[in-house]
Amino acid sequence: MDGELAVIGLGTVGSMALWRATRRPGVRAGEVVGFEARTPGHNRSAVGGDTRLFRMTYRRGPRYAPLLERANVLWPELEAETGQEILTRCGGVYIGERDGAYLPELIATAKENGTPIEILEHDELAARYPQHGLRPDDCAVFDPRAGFLRTDRAVLAATEAAREAGASLVEDTAIDEIHEEPDGVVLRSGASSWRFERVIVTAGGWSGQLLPPPLAAAVHPRRNYLTWFVARRPEEFAPERFPVFGRIERDRSLYGAPSTDGVTVKATLDGRSQPAEDADRVVRELTDEEITEAQETVAEFLPGLIPRIVRADAYPDLFTEDHAPLLGTVPGRSRTVFATGFSGAGFKMAPASAEAAIAIAFGEPATEVTGFEPTRFTGRLPHIRASSTASRRS
Ligand SMILES: Cc1cc2nc3c(=O)[nH]c(=O)nc-3n(C[C@H](O)[C@H](O)[C@H](O)COP(=O)(O)OP(=O)(O)OC[C@H]3O[C@@H](n4cnc5c(N)ncnc54)[C@H](O)[C@@H]3O)c2cc1C
């Protein structure tokens, strides 16, 4: 055996898995090994783009609440352990029409979960956050625990904390084969191979190449782009005055974060991800249509920004058919845990997803992953052989 636990892919979730594994009672930290095809937190992964929104109000349904609540505890824990500022809690404001499709669902989910929120009627919203160009029917939900996460800092804080505890990192090494046997899991990269007691697959947009066929058929990498604009008065968009926001109207949508550099503001059209042929070949340039729509939306929604994109980029993430992650094992492969397919939403809950994956790897029940079991996709094929080999990376 080369170790007790291997983590494949040290991006968002893999870095958290490495860190949480070294904190788990009973795990020998010196026997935890992370493999990364490039370097941890490299900016061609879903870590790219500086920040991600953290929010406790979530319209994808109540099943995310346990992961969000746990992540809400674990991010500050990572900060306390490493002395790094990772989560800036500037609050979150979610804007839409009073009776539209967005806010009623958000309010209903928050009520169901007992998530503290504040409802801001139109005039109060206009007074508190004059940066938003409102329509007459607009009101908002305020999430006091929301904020933004510093992505690359988070990943490096977690991998360094794990390394200091004794974990090993194997960089520039893409695992191209996973072969589960009754008493261990063999990993191969080119001519090298390793054997571990258990493995967690956190390869993000690339995971499809390491999944058994029925799961591989249910996932696909998608291109997600981000755009940044210059603020006319940057102080109005500082974290103390401008919470993260999401806004969905009948005809337009936008989300973003306050300025982190005192100049630019991230403001991006919502829900615009598109299929990518390959996570390594995501088109980084925006089309003329994407540029025009983003600039027109910013001109209406955030008049304090100059409506010209000054920075844009695109990154891969792995989406599942139902846009819920894969968190768990499949029949016949109990030593290989999948924690992938976060479908454009996985950063905020990454440490909690990672912790749940570790619990599953060590044979413990993880109630917070109910509804995310990979078996929801394996039911459609007769079975997966215990010794099945993942498809080789091309
Ligand atoms: C533009 C954009 C905006 C987003 N906004 C938000 C947001 O505001 N809030 C939020 O919560 N979520 C958001 N998300 C989603 C979130 O960022 C992702 O769901 C999450 O980062 C995915 O993490 P991951 O660990 O699955 O993948 P990644 O972070 O991409 O990590 C995968 C890692 O695996 C490595 N790897 C791949 N193959 C192999 C291999 N064979 N062997 C070894 N290593 C390998 C890769 O090099 C990479 O480092 C956004 C995503 C994008 C792209």
Side-chain angles (χ1 to χ4, degrees):
M1 282 290 172
D2 291 292
E4 202 175 356
L5 174 73
V7 177
I8 305 176
L10 299 179
T12 312
V13 182
S15 62
M16 300 300 146
L18 211 65
W19 169 54
R20 294 313 300 161
T22 59
R23 298 301 183 268
R24 194 189 146 90
V27 173
R28 297 179 293 279
E31 293 205 17
V32 175
V33 181
F35 291 89
E36 169 52 50
R38 301 190 194 181
T39 52
H42 68 83
N43 86 335
R44 297 316 317 142
S45 69
V47 178
D50 308 343
T51 58
R52 292 287 183 270
L53 270 54
F54 177 81
R55 55 188 297 185
M56 301 299 292
T57 46
Y58 206 41
R59 78 187 161 119
R60 291 195 190 197
R63 63 187 161 161
Y64 288 90
L67 286 176
L68 292 173
E69 291 293 342
R70 184 66 185 141
N72 186 50
V73 172
L74 288 174
W75 287 119
E77 206 170 304
L78 181 61
E79 290 181 312
E81 274 192 29
T82 62
Q84 300 276 324
E85 190 191 337
I86 293 165
L87 171 59
T88 303
R89 278 194 209 267
C90 52
V93 64
Y94 301 100
I95 304 171
E97 294 124 353
R98 189 75 168 104
D99 302 315
Y102 183 42
L103 287 192
E105 193 185 344
L106 209 58
I107 294 167
T109 309
K111 278 195 182 140
E112 196 173 335
N113 296 334
T115 307
I117 55 165
E118 204 183 325
I119 294 179
L120 304 181
E121 297 301 344
H122 182 280
D123 292 354
E124 195 183 354
L125 173 63
R128 260 167 75 167
Y129 303 114
Q131 300 91 333
H132 292 282
L134 299 180
R135 294 175 178 180
D137 289 344
D138 283 336
C139 59
V141 163
F142 182 74
D143 174 355
R145 293 186 290 172
F148 62 88
L149 293 152
R150 310 262 184 172
T151 56
D152 34 23
R153 195 183 284 173
V155 168
L156 290 179
T159 49
E160 286 311 301
R163 200 199 302 260
E164 278 167 25
S168 309
L169 275 65
V170 184
E171 299 186 14
D172 297 315
T173 302
I175 296 300
D176 43 34
E177 204 174 300
I178 303 173
H179 185 80
E180 180 160 337
E181 294 174 349
D183 56 352
V185 189
V186 177
L187 304 182
R188 291 203 175 82
S189 176
S192 306
S193 68
W194 301 261
R195 192 181 181 82
F196 290 91
E197 285 174 29
R198 42 187 80 76
V199 165
I200 299 177
V201 180
T202 49
W206 296 263
S207 291
Q209 296 152 351
L210 296 169
L211 297 178
L215 289 189
V219 300
H220 41 280
R222 289 179 77 90
R223 165 186 181 262
N224 305 266
Y225 62 83
L226 295 175
T227 48
W228 287 262
F229 295 82
V230 168
R232 297 179 203 278
R233 294 177 203 271
E235 65 279 10
E236 290 175 358
F237 291 89
E240 312 78 63
R241 291 175 65 181
F242 187 67
V244 299
F245 70 96
R247 183 165 175 186
I248 298 182
E249 308 269 0
R250 274 184 312 279
D251 53 337
R252 291 188 194 281
S253 64
L254 196 73
Y255 73 96
S259 183
T260 54
D261 61 5
V263 181
T264 59
V265 174
K266 182 171 94 175
T268 298
L269 298 174
D270 187 74
R272 293 300 193 282
S273 79
Q274 292 158 344
E277 201 188 311
D278 181 329
D280 278 323
R281 283 197 289 273
V282 166
V283 178
R284 298 177 71 174
E285 290 73 33
L286 269 54
T287 62
D288 289 347
E289 290 73 29
E290 287 168 341
I291 293 170
T292 303
E293 191 188 357
Q295 294 186 163
E296 285 177 1
T297 305
V298 162
E300 182 195 347
F301 284 2
L302 293 171
L305 303 184
I306 297 168
R308 288 276 170 270
I309 294 171
V310 291
R311 181 184 162 199
D313 210 335
Y315 313 90
D317 196 11
L318 194 74
F319 281 61
T320 60
E321 280 177 5
D322 59 8
H323 289 200
L326 301 176
L327 266 168
T329 57
V330 295
R333 298 184 72 179
S334 60
R335 293 174 177 275
T336 308
V337 179
F338 302 104
T340 192
F342 288 94
S343 307
F347 212 102
K348 63 182 80 57
M349 52 208 167
S353 306
E355 197 177 63
I358 294 164
I360 296 167
F362 285 90
E364 281 177 11
T367 46
E368 58 275 58
V369 304
T370 304
F372 305 140
E373 298 90 347
T375 44
R376 70 190 189 276
F377 294 119
T378 54
R380 60 171 82 162
L381 284 189
H383 65 279
I384 296 170
R385 279 172 297 135
S387 60
S388 67
T389 299
S391 54
R392 288 192 74 84
R393 198 170 186 207
S394 54

